[in-house]
Amino acid sequence: MKSFKYLAMTTMVGSALFLAACGDEGETETNGSNGDNNTASEETLEGQVRGDGSSTVAPIMEAIVEEYAGVQPNVQVSSGVSGTGGGFEKFIAGETDFSNASRPIKDEEASALEEAGVDYTELEIGFDGLSVVVSQDNDWVDHLTVEELKAMWVEDGTEKTWADIREGWPEETIEYYSPGTDSGTYDYWNEVILEDEDIVRSATLSEDDNVLVQGVVGSPNAIGYFGYAYYLENQDTLKVVPIDGGEGPVEPTNETIESGEYAPLSRPLFTYVSNASIQENEAAADFITFAIENAGDLAEAVGYVRAPQELYNEDMEKIEELKQ
Amino acid sequence: MNYINHEQVAAKTKSRLIKNNILKGLFLAATMFGLIVLAILLFRIVTQGSEYLSFDFFTRFASRIPENSGIKSAFLGSIYLMLVVAPVSMFLGVGTAIYLEEYAKKNKMTDFIRINISNLAGVPSVVFGLLGLTIFVRYFGLGISILAAGLTMSLLILPVIIVASQEAIRAVPGELREASFAMGATKWQTILRVVLPTAIPGVLTGSILALSRAIGETAPLVVIGIPTILMFTPNSLLSTFTALPMQIFDWTKRPQVAFHDVAAAGIIVLMTLLIIMNSIAVFIRNKYQKRF
């Protein structure tokens, strides 16, 4: 039994030393990102800023948090990926300072916020183009109109083939791949294409966009949609479908998405900030200012599209007003 | 008199031997299936992730650039989480086991408690996540902190520790206790000086295996809403943090293939951690556990 006690002691002392070593390192080392971005404020701040929300917006937010840690290493910013709806739930509960969203806030969320006494401000931090994609083995689709997309995706009780959508296309059953109903991407699609009607029952829904990519790549009869970043990363294996919103087919590119020419599937990405946080939490105000200043560049760095500069300017004005 | 009909035996031997061999092959195939799947998984993970695995991987925070990504906050977060889970779950688990095995009378109430502990072990981890979110995060106002997540994880693995500790305590022979009582020791003295020292290798083995489950569990953390974007190390029990499984989960969902490789590197770290913990458990069991 003595040898056992010895083992237990060494394990405990050893782990204590190991953790102490880790702790020291954590305090002395600063984040190794470059500091050549514009600093929102020169003084060193301390504090906590918490956020959550859309997983679509997460890569942009991660880039912003990463750069901000290089500027203000003592401000602890964290952000989760609970989805747009899940993020708002925490925002309403007052657990977060900002909430990322890949769609505008819904009426019921806005009234819940009002009830909870949370005043908020909507900020645009980037643009995304919902990309409609088919397999590269699909050689018949050259473009789709919004009406055709709706006819294709709305449940009408029948099993649809490509020939039902446009004459001359093969009589093969269409396979559908769509983001899950919890995502803001689905909500946006529901609003613009489905117009609140039911999505086809045979659609494969997944919260993981990589699953959708695999599904569409795997079948010539498949069609799917997801954020522009996922198309960009997989453009060698996927074929993007130009969309005709009434003024001729437009393919999603950085330019067409930013200008809004890629309508109606070009969508803004938001973060909603609590007014109280901006006014009372200096760190939060500083972080949000930094976010607006750098969102455009960082959005492009992670495969999204910058919002038009006017929108960033408007965002900045709103924040400046709040700070006073 | 001829007890054995040699002709009949000879005629049947061949088919019996064939049957034996077929079944042997079948069971071997069943064993190999799991092993082969594991080998393929390991091979894929190691070939994908080894490129990103380096010392710097442990000292850097997550990044938008895959090459600069690291698991500093996630790794430390997981360790701090264990610092909460280990003492809380072991104290509660071993305490419950001692009560049930040593003090509780054998009546309907005790049986009821026992059955419910077994039931608790079968509750899906997502449900524990919801419980943690409602009780620890919101009701007790602990926020999304190490403490709240640690308490949730403790509840999750509590049944496993209780059952393992009960088994270990039950395995201590009655004669040892009786000898102790005969010397005039009280119940508590007997438990402290006789029962626990004998049972502790079994208790530790069970606890370490339970802890290794807690370290790999993702669902409760997702439900609680542990952030994944976080560029600082926790400085108190009430700090926000992120954990290894969450970070891996986040990376695998990224569009860039390079991030999937970073996730693989994270998986290697997590699996190494699990293998080390499990080996310690096996080592303690083999070296210290007494058989009576």
Side-chain angles (χ1 to χ4, degrees):
Chain A
M1 207 41 68
K2 199 152 221 167
S3 62
F4 180 75
K5 277 187 182 152
Y6 176 74
L7 176 85
M9 273 305 276
T10 26
T11 318
M12 276 166 72
V13 172
S15 55
L17 285 176
F18 169 74
L19 281 167
C22 282
D24 282 349
E25 178 197 28
E27 276 152 31
T28 49
E29 200 194 342
T30 51
N31 190 282
S33 64
N34 51 343
D36 56 18
N37 280 284
N38 293 337
T39 9
S41 93
E42 296 302 324
E43 64 202 300
T44 334
L45 292 169
E46 277 185 23
Q48 283 210 342
V49 188
R50 292 180 182 197
D52 204 333
S54 166
S55 56
T56 310
V57 187
I60 306 180
M61 211 27 101
E62 181 185 61
I64 295 173
V65 173
E66 185 186 355
E67 288 304 321
Y68 188 68
V71 179
Q72 294 285 6
N74 294 327
V75 177
Q76 303 189 326
V77 188
S78 61
S79 182
V81 284
S82 301
T84 303
F88 274 126
E89 203 181 293
K90 294 202 161 61
F91 194 54
I92 293 163
E95 288 164 1
T96 50
D97 299 306
F98 64 91
S99 197
N100 308 321
S102 58
R103 56 160 169 80
I105 191 167
K106 287 182 185 170
D107 291 341
E108 60 258 38
E109 286 159 351
S111 52
L113 278 168
E114 201 177 316
E115 226 169 85
V118 180
D119 286 328
Y120 61 91
T121 304
E122 175 186 281
L123 306 171
E124 269 105 350
I125 60 168
F127 265 57
D128 183 24
L130 281 193
S131 305
V132 179
V133 294
V134 292
S135 153
Q136 284 193 331
D137 298 331
N138 180 327
D139 51 10
W140 56 89
V141 175
D142 54 346
H143 75 277
L144 284 164
T145 65
V146 173
E147 290 75 32
E148 283 169 334
L149 274 178
K150 185 176 179 189
M152 203 185 250
W153 283 86
V154 165
E155 175 64 47
D156 60 2
T158 62
E159 192 176 69
K160 278 170 275 196
T161 67
W162 285 94
D164 296 337
I165 305 306
R166 201 185 290 175
E167 271 176 47
W169 285 353
E171 286 203 26
E172 301 281 351
T173 311
I174 307 173
E175 294 162 32
Y176 302 89
Y177 290 90
S178 161
T181 50
D182 236 13
S183 66
T185 313
Y186 175 89
D187 287 335
Y188 193 79
W189 186 259
N190 181 40
E191 189 188 313
V192 175
I193 302 294
L194 302 177
E195 293 171 318
D196 264 340
E197 290 182 55
D198 287 340
I199 194 167
V200 279
R201 223 168 284 142
S202 60
T204 307
L205 300 173
S206 172
E207 296 295 342
D208 185 348
D209 291 343
N210 290 314
V211 172
L212 306 177
V213 171
Q214 292 308 322
V216 176
V217 168
S219 163
N221 299 316
I223 186 164
Y225 68 91
F226 35 70
Y228 183 57
Y230 286 87
Y231 161 64
L232 269 192
E233 279 305 315
N234 296 285
Q235 49 186 331
D236 299 340
T237 50
L238 290 170
K239 182 172 141 187
V240 72
V241 183
I243 301 299
D244 184 350
E247 292 167 6
V250 181
E251 194 175 310
T253 62
N254 281 24
E255 292 74 34
T256 56
I257 294 170
E258 185 187 336
S259 67
E261 200 187 327
Y262 181 65
L265 293 178
S266 165
R267 59 167 176 173
L269 301 174
F270 302 97
T271 188
Y272 288 81
V273 295
S274 146
N275 292 355
S277 296
I278 298 290
Q279 282 154 351
E280 288 153 23
N281 182 346
E282 208 184 334
D286 190 59
F287 171 72
I288 293 297
T289 313
F290 180 88
I292 298 168
E293 277 172 1
N294 296 283
D297 291 338
L298 292 172
E300 285 197 340
V302 294
Y304 289 83
V305 179
R306 63 168 67 240
Q309 191 57 41
E310 304 94 78
L311 288 178
Y312 291 127
N313 293 345
E314 279 171 31
D315 286 350
M316 196 60 105
E317 277 167 31
K318 288 187 214 167
I319 294 301
E320 289 304 325
E321 254 171 58
L322 278 180
K323 277 190 197 166
Q324 279 151 19
Chain B
M1 211 169 110
N2 203 354
Y3 286 109
I4 299 170
N5 182 345
H6 284 281
E7 266 170 44
Q8 214 178 347
V9 170
K12 278 205 163 180
T13 302
K14 205 174 174 196
S15 72
R16 284 170 59 216
L17 282 178
I18 289 175
K19 208 186 239 174
N20 185 45
N21 278 336
I22 289 176
L23 283 172
K24 180 183 157 196
L26 195 68
F27 295 137
L28 181 69
T31 315
M32 291 313 283
F33 180 77
L35 281 181
I36 288 171
V37 171
L38 183 69
I40 293 174
L41 185 81
L42 281 178
F43 177 75
R44 249 187 80 84
I45 295 292
V46 170
T47 47
Q48 268 193 316
S50 52
E51 186 191 339
Y52 287 96
L53 205 59
S54 65
F55 180 71
D56 288 342
F57 191 59
F58 290 90
T59 60
R60 284 191 299 232
F61 291 111
S63 165
R64 66 173 183 280
I65 306 155
E67 286 75 26
N68 295 346
S69 284
I71 49 165
K72 185 176 173 183
S73 48
F75 187 72
L76 281 177
S78 275
I79 302 256
Y80 282 105
L81 186 65
M82 284 307 108
L83 285 186
V84 174
V85 175
V88 172
S89 63
M90 279 179 72
F91 176 76
L92 291 178
V94 177
T96 311
I98 289 176
Y99 174 77
L100 286 179
E101 287 302 316
E102 299 291 325
Y103 289 103
K105 291 196 175 66
K106 300 238 180 293
N107 57 19
K108 284 220 170 108
M109 189 63 196
T110 315
D111 282 344
F112 180 74
I113 295 175
R114 279 210 185 115
I115 289 170
N116 276 296
I117 287 171
S118 309
N119 283 343
L120 210 56
V123 174
S125 52
V126 176
V127 178
F128 281 101
L130 285 170
L131 185 84
L133 179 69
T134 327
I135 295 183
F136 298 125
V137 175
R138 302 228 161 115
Y139 187 73
F140 287 158
L142 296 177
I144 302 161
S145 61
I146 299 177
L147 191 59
L151 291 174
T152 310
M153 284 295 194
S154 305
L155 282 186
L156 174 72
I157 62 169
L158 200 53
V160 182
I161 295 187
I162 294 174
V163 171
S165 307
Q166 273 185 297
E167 296 292 336
I169 291 172
R170 212 175 295 150
V172 178
E175 296 86 25
L176 287 187
R177 292 188 187 85
E178 281 153 18
S180 173
F181 292 141
M183 305 289 281
T186 63
K187 196 144 208 176
W188 168 238
Q189 284 171 326
T190 308
I191 291 170
L192 187 67
R193 294 180 195 162
V194 177
V195 178
L196 272 187
T198 322
I200 216 157
V203 171
L204 274 184
T205 308
S207 305
I208 293 173
L209 290 178
L211 283 179
S212 71
R213 178 175 173 208
I215 215 169
E217 194 67 65
T218 323
L221 298 180
V222 174
V223 176
I224 291 178
I226 299 298
T228 48
I229 301 168
L230 182 135
M231 313 281 166
F232 57 86
T233 50
N235 50 15
S236 82
L237 282 183
L238 291 173
S239 282
T240 312
F241 75 110
T242 190
L244 271 177
M246 287 299 289
Q247 188 69 66
I248 294 168
F249 182 56
D250 183 49
W251 277 331
T252 55
K253 291 207 299 187
R254 294 300 177 88
Q256 292 85 358
V257 182
F259 272 116
H260 303 171
D261 296 349
V262 179
I267 293 172
I268 296 176
V269 174
L270 186 60
M271 290 220 304
T272 315
L273 212 60
L274 292 181
I275 290 171
I276 290 174
M277 287 174 75
N278 289 357
S279 324
I280 293 175
V282 171
F283 173 76
I284 291 177
R285 191 185 62 203
N286 290 348
K287 193 156 166 75
Y288 298 104
Q289 200 153 34
K290 280 189 191 156
R291 308 235 174 264
F292 296 96

